[in-house]
Amino acid sequence: MKTTFSRRDFLRTSALTGSAFLLLPSAKLAFAYEANNKLNLAGIGVGGQGRSNLDNFSGLGVNFVGLCDVDTKRAGDIYQKHPQAKAFQDFRRMLDEMEKQIDAVLVATPDHTHAVAAVAAMKRGKHIYCEKPLTRTVHEARMMRLTAREHNVVTQMGNQGSAENGLRRAVELVWGGAVGEVREAHVWFDGGNGPMKRPTDQPQVPETLAWDLWLGPAAERPYNPCYLPASWRGWRAFGSGIVGDFGCHTGNLMFRALRLEQLWNPPAGAKLKQIVIRVEAKPSEADQEGYPTSMVAVVDLPARGELPPVKLTLYAKDKPSEGLMLGHPRGGWGDLLVGSKGSIYSDCPWNTRFVLLPKEQFQSVKAGPPQTLPVANGHHREWVEACKGNGKTFSGFEIGGPLTELMQLVNLASLVEGPIEFDTLSGKVLNSKPAAALIHRPYRKGWSL
């Protein structure tokens, strides 16, 4: 499935800026950085999306010390561009050999190897910038969040729209009550994926590709060019489909504005034994190999303190009723919150712009209330500075982990009959053995979290 927008489109048309949200690391784990010190960075998966991340880190006080990619040909120009960095094909070897030289790690591999790479680095005390979706499975997303907390490292998920002032302002307006009490939300993606069928031919593996390392923790299967370099996202074994791919972008406003992270990280003293969300998906087809051509999923989200329960509907290729738009054009992409006083809508996949509906009712609202979230100075810069002990990140794993869990629960629900009930505190499915079996997946020998 080919989407209309790409991250390159976003980076070309939008100025990346950032702000603060997560706790600072301790002085000890901040490596006693000063503002003008270089951050020694290693990159994993530098031949694909990683190359644009490296470009964004360049000039931000970063020293590239190690670069890793399973395909030496595809990453060859990156190695030439940064000759001072030692090149590897296996990130495990890089972490073992260069542990004392590395301060922080970029993870930009396909989804199925995000967790094994990032967790291995965090256990060594390394700060992590990880592309979205944070992981391919619900359990992996939870382990990323918990590992980051245990080792007190600085983290950032690569949903770059988090650094845009449009998103931050929209979140503030919802927090300030501009649209009233929100009990209904809709998030839609302009496309689906469609079923996949495994190929039967077995072409020779390219000499420059370490296929076994590309598979990583995924189950063994023969090499085929239908999986890579850029087509892995539609396969369940490796990617997360349109919902995983853009859920952490297009659902970002909804998740933050409704403070849904509190369902995973309840306030201290809440003393809750369970927090249960209910997810039911209606896919065009249930496919073990790929993702649905289209899908509608309904998620029932409980109250968060004084905030009321919310019914969230997600759509892949399908769209919500035009009647919800209050006369405004319905875009191909959407993040819509329906409140008691009006609605807020973003038609941008990265939530970088928004409109309050009905428009005639909100002509002057954008001017107030006063802005409280800081204006961002760059999604990548924010992480680099936080790693040095300066400020905080806005899209750390406290947010990225739960947001990814939610989107992967929707993907999971597309494979089972009926609704699933999921306890956000324990990370367990309460009512469905088939769904419970999909929370995690077996890893091949030699791979673990």
Side-chain angles (χ1 to χ4, degrees):
M1 192 282 304
K2 185 177 180 180
T3 58
T4 305
F5 295 91
S6 70
R7 291 181 215 180
R8 186 167 297 174
D9 294 329
F10 172 78
L11 294 171
R12 187 166 53 235
T13 60
S14 170
L16 287 181
T17 50
S19 152
F21 199 78
L22 301 186
L23 294 176
L24 282 169
S26 66
K28 179 179 179 181
L29 289 178
F31 304 103
Y33 290 137
E34 294 178 358
N36 59 350
N37 281 350
K38 291 282 188 178
L39 182 74
N40 291 328
L41 179 70
I44 303 173
V46 297
Q49 174 63 17
R51 65 178 59 237
S52 66
N53 282 308
L54 293 178
D55 287 344
N56 278 288
F57 287 129
S58 295
L60 298 181
V62 169
N63 181 36
F64 301 121
V65 295
L67 298 174
C68 179
D69 200 280
V70 298
D71 190 333
T72 57
K73 181 179 179 180
R74 191 160 189 248
D77 64 315
I78 300 300
Y79 297 149
Q80 292 176 8
K81 188 175 182 179
H82 305 286
Q84 79 285 358
K86 189 172 182 180
F88 294 85
Q89 273 193 303
D90 189 337
F91 74 80
R92 297 169 298 182
R93 181 184 169 195
M94 181 177 72
L95 293 176
D96 285 342
E97 291 187 13
M98 302 191 69
E99 179 173 356
K100 294 183 180 180
Q101 301 171 53
I102 296 171
D103 301 323
V105 176
L106 158 69
V107 178
T109 61
D111 300 350
H112 72 292
T113 46
H114 281 184
V116 291
V119 168
M122 287 190 288
K123 286 182 176 179
R124 290 172 166 84
K126 312 306 177 186
H127 306 311
I128 297 292
Y129 183 104
C130 184
E131 272 302 339
K132 60 83 221 157
L134 208 55
T135 62
R136 197 197 69 84
T137 72
V138 173
H139 176 73
E140 288 172 337
R142 180 168 297 259
M143 291 305 298
M144 291 274 268
R145 173 170 58 93
L146 296 179
T147 304
R149 177 191 298 172
E150 178 183 356
H151 294 275
N152 201 20
V153 293
V154 175
T155 59
Q156 185 89 299
M157 179 173 69
N159 56 347
Q160 296 88 345
S162 297
E164 287 295 311
N165 206 46
L167 178 139
R168 297 186 181 200
R169 188 60 179 148
V171 168
E172 285 184 313
L173 289 173
V174 177
W175 287 353
V179 297
E181 190 177 72
V182 177
R183 292 178 175 268
E184 180 182 354
H186 302 264
V187 174
W188 60 98
F189 313 100
D190 195 15
N193 295 93
M196 295 291 193
K197 185 177 181 180
R198 285 205 202 190
T200 56
D201 60 321
Q202 296 187 23
Q204 185 175 354
V205 180
E207 290 184 3
T208 61
L209 172 66
W211 174 244
D212 184 73
L213 293 178
W214 190 92
L215 281 175
E220 182 69 44
R221 70 173 66 190
Y223 161 80
N224 196 283
C226 72
Y227 302 127
L228 73 161
S231 49
W232 48 266
R233 197 176 298 281
W235 295 88
R236 283 193 190 260
F238 311 124
S240 304
I242 189 68
V243 172
D245 181 19
F246 267 89
C248 294
H249 283 314
T250 313
N252 197 12
L253 166 58
M254 173 276 302
F255 196 89
R256 293 177 183 275
L258 299 180
R259 300 187 187 272
L260 296 186
E261 77 281 356
Q262 293 185 12
L263 297 177
W264 281 261
N265 302 298
K271 297 181 180 180
L272 299 170
K273 293 183 178 180
Q274 284 186 338
I275 300 178
V276 180
I277 64 177
R278 184 180 182 273
V279 184
E280 184 170 14
K282 295 182 179 179
S284 53
E285 65 276 312
D287 181 47
Q288 297 290 333
E289 293 287 347
Y291 292 93
T293 305
S294 63
M295 176 174 62
V296 177
V298 177
V299 185
D300 291 310
L301 301 159
R304 288 88 54 221
E306 296 182 355
L307 297 176
V310 175
K311 183 178 289 294
L312 165 66
T313 308
L314 295 103
Y315 313 77
K317 196 173 183 179
D318 287 294
K319 303 290 186 294
S321 167
E322 289 190 358
L324 291 168
M325 303 306 300
L326 302 178
H328 189 78
R330 184 189 63 191
W333 302 79
D335 188 329
L336 174 71
L337 305 184
V338 180
S340 58
K341 298 179 181 178
S343 298
I344 190 166
Y345 169 56
S346 175
D347 66 350
C348 172
W350 300 279
N351 297 159
T352 61
R353 57 180 179 260
F354 69 92
V355 61
L356 293 163
L357 304 174
K359 291 180 71 173
E360 61 273 12
Q361 180 179 314
F362 292 102
Q363 292 300 317
S364 62
V365 174
K366 286 187 180 181
Q371 184 163 335
T372 56
L373 291 176
V375 174
N377 65 355
H379 197 62
H380 294 81
R381 180 186 297 277
E382 173 184 273
W383 177 70
V384 170
E385 289 303 310
C387 289
K388 295 178 181 181
N390 304 318
K392 309 169 187 179
T393 58
F394 190 68
S395 196
F397 293 176
E398 290 90 353
I399 290 285
L403 177 51
T404 300
E405 277 196 38
L406 178 61
M407 296 304 164
Q408 297 299 5
L409 278 168
V410 172
N411 278 335
L412 183 160
S414 70
L415 288 175
V416 299
E417 293 289 337
I420 61 174
E421 295 178 355
F422 179 76
D423 175 20
T424 60
L425 298 186
S426 67
K428 295 180 179 180
V429 173
L430 304 178
N431 68 328
S432 169
K433 287 184 178 180
L438 298 173
I439 289 291
H440 193 42
R441 52 165 176 167
Y443 283 174
R444 287 195 303 148
K445 184 178 180 180
W447 301 89
S448 62
L449 289 178

